[in-house]
Amino acid sequence: MRVGSPQHRDLFCRTFIETHRVFEPADLPWPQLEARHIDLLRAFPFWAFALSMEQEADRMIAAFARTIEDPLIREAVELQGAEEARHGRLLKTLFEQYGIAVAPLPPSTKPVGRDDFLDFGFSECTDSVIGFGGFALARQKQIFPPELLDIFEHVLYEEARHIVFFINWWRYEEAVAGRNNPLVRLANALKHSVRAVMHTAQGAQGAAVAPAALDLTGGGSQAILEGVSAKMFLEFALAENQRMMQRIDPRLLRPRIVPTLATAALLGLRMLPPREPVPSKELVAT
Ligand SMILES: [Fe+2]
Ligand SMILES: [Fe+2]
């Protein structure tokens, strides 16, 4: 199948649409949690920013979808926007279920263009791999009951579908426009990725959550990251990324920049002499 062909477009759009799961967050089997679990959830430093990101994604994607002429691509992008809106509702349901007080941030009214969708797509490629690593560690360390992690496993699978859809959409658009130089493509991908990371950092500062969000040493974050070296985190993130990608049609392209950089960083770390005498034997990436 040629990237940029109508068959490619049909495959990445239909795969995305057909793997959409219909549910409402309020209907999910939210488990009863012990007080220590609720305390850990309350202590996560980034809830307000996470909620604001999901709500802004919904607004931005809905606006971008209205500019798309191809009806099949538009349908798939609208569906992604609906899933982001549902992520926002899922977070609100979590807050209600467990009594987590989160002050909402003011919604954005910024005009939306195609570049916003590109920045967002590349930022999801970065954020998802970090999220996969944190999630895999939380499961391995049994920090939360499996019933709660099962709910978030589905959210992460949706993010895996989003980044695969996004990369295929981007490569399709580049091919249709005749932009086939891989070096130019890589430079563009890096440009959007760097801009996306800067945007996230600025957004976190604007949300006045930067010290906690970027520090990530409080509560649940600390419980997940305690005793975890950078090498171990990368091993978990890459293993979970691979597991998520294996659930998606193998004919589709996958995001490659972040996994490649993470693999290179891991190889570099493995070549360093060990700094700590005994790493935890309980943590083994599968
Ligand atoms: Fe999301
Ligand atoms: Fe997403």
Side-chain angles (χ1 to χ4, degrees):
M1 183 189 57
R2 185 174 57 80
V3 172
S5 64
Q7 293 78 13
H8 178 221
R9 178 201 56 199
D10 290 355
L11 181 68
F12 71 76
C13 289
R14 296 214 178 282
T15 301
F16 186 75
I17 293 166
E18 285 164 12
T19 52
H20 171 73
R21 197 177 115 194
V22 177
F23 71 91
E24 266 309 307
D27 300 332
L28 292 173
W30 295 94
Q32 286 277 344
L33 294 185
E34 294 172 27
R36 64 192 172 100
H37 294 135
I38 295 176
D39 287 346
L40 279 178
L41 281 177
R42 284 192 181 132
F44 270 106
F46 43 70
W47 287 131
F49 186 58
L51 179 62
S52 150
M53 291 276 281
E54 299 289 5
Q55 291 173 334
E56 170 59 10
D58 168 32
R59 183 191 79 90
M60 181 276 293
I61 294 173
F64 174 64
R66 288 194 285 275
T67 69
I68 298 173
E69 286 180 16
D70 186 305
L72 186 58
I73 297 178
R74 187 168 60 240
E75 182 185 349
V77 171
E78 281 172 347
L79 189 60
Q80 185 191 347
E83 290 186 3
E84 301 295 5
R86 190 167 62 183
H87 291 169
R89 293 200 299 283
L90 189 140
L91 285 177
K92 283 184 169 173
T93 308
L94 173 92
F95 304 156
E96 283 162 18
Q97 282 282 333
Y98 303 120
I100 302 168
V102 176
L105 301 172
S108 165
T109 51
K110 195 168 106 7
V112 171
R114 185 175 181 274
D115 265 8
D116 295 299
F117 188 68
L118 283 165
D119 287 352
F120 177 75
F122 282 109
S123 78
E124 286 213 296
C125 293
T126 309
D127 298 348
S128 293
V129 176
I130 296 169
F132 295 157
F135 174 79
L137 280 164
R139 203 184 265 292
Q140 178 79 21
K141 289 178 143 193
Q142 301 178 357
I143 288 167
F144 294 108
E147 296 81 8
L148 185 67
L149 293 175
D150 287 347
I151 289 176
F152 281 93
E153 160 126 12
H154 186 71
V155 172
L156 288 174
Y157 173 56
E158 286 186 345
E159 297 299 1
R161 288 169 51 254
H162 293 178
I163 62 178
V164 169
F165 171 77
F166 169 74
I167 284 297
N168 281 273
W169 167 81
W170 179 59
R171 290 290 304 276
Y172 171 82
E173 294 256 311
E174 293 293 288
V176 167
R179 294 188 289 266
N180 292 315
N181 184 327
L183 287 178
V184 173
R185 209 163 51 219
L186 177 64
N188 273 330
L190 289 173
K191 178 188 81 180
H192 286 290
S193 300
V194 168
R195 220 158 62 185
V197 169
M198 300 285 289
H199 178 257
T200 302
Q202 283 167 359
Q205 280 172 344
V209 296
L214 299 180
D215 181 7
L216 288 181
T217 55
S221 311
Q222 187 181 27
I224 291 173
L225 296 175
E226 200 165 36
V228 174
S229 63
K231 175 171 155 289
M232 204 183 291
F233 184 85
L234 289 172
E235 284 171 347
F236 271 81
L238 286 167
E240 188 67 11
N241 181 61
Q242 191 177 22
R243 192 174 75 83
M244 286 287 179
M245 290 301 138
Q246 280 170 349
R247 293 175 63 183
I248 296 175
D249 193 309
R251 292 170 293 176
L252 291 169
L253 301 168
R254 265 80 174 135
R256 283 192 313 196
I257 292 179
V258 177
T260 304
L261 290 176
T263 304
L266 183 58
L267 290 174
L269 288 169
R270 280 180 178 156
M271 288 162 69
L272 293 174
R275 293 175 65 192
E276 291 176 29
V278 185
S280 170
K281 287 196 173 153
E282 289 169 26
L283 294 171
V284 179
T286 50

